[in-house]
Amino acid sequence: MQPSSDIARLIEIVAALRTPGSGCPWDLEQTFETIVPFTLEEAYEVVDAVQRGDLQDLRDELGDLLLQVVFHARMAEEQKAFDFGGVVEAITAKMIRRHPHVFGEAKDLTPDATKRLWAEIKAAEKAAKAAERGGEAQAPAGVLADVAVTLPALTRAVKLQEKASRVGFDWKDAKVVVAKIREETDEVEAALDGGDADAIAEEIGDLFFAVANLARHHGRDPESILRAANAKFERRFGFIEETLARRGQAFAATSLAKMEALWTEAKKAEEKAQSKKE
């Protein structure tokens, strides 16, 4: 089979992989539940390619993510629920419906007005869907009801905060959030003094939530910020590891003070390299 840029070819390939008797044994045994971890992994690999600025990898990772969509659609088609065409039809209808300022009569909206309109349309869609499934109109769901519990914790924290902010429950100044972080840090310290493991964990959770809120007020995604911090830690720790190996020294024989000195050395080298770029 020859490669193709036609989406129909990908759909055919996945159908062949899922055909009993002639398909791939591994693909045939998969279900929606078993595929979900791969779907999440591919989504994160797309994010990684974007953050690395590697467009070649981004093309490949987007293809892997598209495969996940086609695979889910194929399994649904086998159950006579919907097919890939139904997925495309649903999303195109949704995009047209949610952009009346582009495809309809609502014109010349500000960015804030556009967001409010999007939220109103989305809420109306959910109400209509609930009424359709329940047979009659239902009471409006809570403000936070549609924030998926399966989201990564930091991402969900921001989603919850954004929802609350739309009804006025939010600080307007990022510096107030910094003060809240200091307050939460003090409460972590008090919990540590108390020695109650559950109380300590709860206060650390509050601190995480406050830090995620600061990232939101700064207009940045806390997941992306933390991934960048993880990468920085890996680089600097790798410098320590490589330096010790070059000197023939083991971690066990190296004091924390010496490792911290190497960490500072790595940090200064990065800052020097960055200043040259600027």
Side-chain angles (χ1 to χ4, degrees):
M1 181 177 282
Q2 295 297 314
S4 171
S5 60
D6 187 349
I7 186 65
R9 180 64 62 84
L10 178 58
I11 294 171
E12 291 172 358
I13 290 171
V14 173
L17 294 173
R18 291 279 299 180
T19 300
S22 61
C24 170
W26 185 89
D27 289 286
L28 282 165
E29 71 178 6
Q30 300 311 308
T31 65
F32 292 112
E33 290 76 18
T34 62
I35 285 295
V36 162
F38 298 100
T39 306
L40 292 172
E41 180 181 343
E42 298 302 349
Y44 282 121
E45 289 184 357
V46 167
V47 174
D48 178 63
V50 169
Q51 291 186 332
R52 289 186 287 106
D54 190 329
L55 296 183
Q56 183 70 26
D57 267 6
L58 178 59
R59 183 199 66 177
D60 293 343
E61 298 302 344
L62 286 171
D64 291 342
L65 186 57
L66 176 59
L67 171 61
Q68 295 297 310
V69 176
V70 173
F71 205 103
H72 280 283
R74 176 61 192 182
M75 290 188 292
E77 184 177 2
E78 292 165 1
Q79 297 182 21
K80 303 187 184 307
F82 59 83
D83 60 9
F84 184 80
V87 174
V88 175
E89 182 180 14
I91 189 59
T92 54
K94 181 186 293 184
M95 288 295 96
I96 293 169
R97 190 169 59 246
R98 292 189 182 178
H99 291 82
H101 53 295
V102 177
F103 305 111
E105 299 302 320
K107 300 296 183 183
D108 301 322
L109 299 182
T110 65
D112 285 343
T114 300
K115 288 181 181 178
R116 287 195 297 271
L117 181 59
W118 175 283
E120 290 169 6
I121 294 171
K122 186 175 179 181
E125 290 172 354
K126 288 184 177 295
K129 185 178 291 186
E132 179 183 342
R133 290 179 175 176
E136 59 182 25
Q138 299 179 2
V143 173
L144 309 179
D146 64 344
V147 181
V149 296
T150 53
L151 288 170
L154 287 176
T155 299
R156 188 164 193 267
V158 170
K159 294 287 187 184
L160 292 169
Q161 292 160 2
E162 287 174 342
K163 290 282 188 178
S165 178
R166 290 173 189 168
V167 295
F169 191 73
D170 193 10
W171 288 299
K172 303 304 180 184
D173 187 345
K175 290 185 178 179
V176 180
V177 185
V178 173
K180 181 64 176 176
I181 290 173
R182 292 195 183 100
E183 176 187 324
E184 297 297 351
T185 303
D186 290 341
E187 291 181 3
V188 170
E189 187 173 4
L192 287 169
D193 290 339
D196 185 321
D198 290 338
I200 294 168
E202 181 178 349
E203 296 301 341
I204 292 173
D206 291 345
L207 178 58
F208 273 128
F209 194 84
V211 172
N213 204 359
L214 178 60
R216 180 179 66 87
H217 274 266
H218 185 52
R220 304 296 292 272
D221 170 35
E223 290 281 347
S224 298
I225 291 174
L226 184 55
R227 277 192 291 271
N230 289 342
K232 180 167 64 177
F233 180 86
E234 286 179 301
R235 285 195 311 271
R236 293 179 182 176
F237 187 83
F239 177 85
I240 297 172
E241 197 169 23
E242 291 168 7
T243 302
L244 291 179
R246 193 167 57 249
R247 295 175 181 176
Q249 300 173 348
F251 278 110
T254 306
S255 68
L256 177 58
K258 289 182 179 179
M259 285 190 279
E260 287 182 337
L262 289 174
W263 177 277
T264 300
E265 187 178 336
K267 180 179 179 180
K268 288 181 178 178
E270 286 185 0
E271 291 172 348
K272 184 177 181 180
Q274 183 62 34
S275 65
K276 285 183 178 180
K277 289 181 181 179
E278 297 172 351

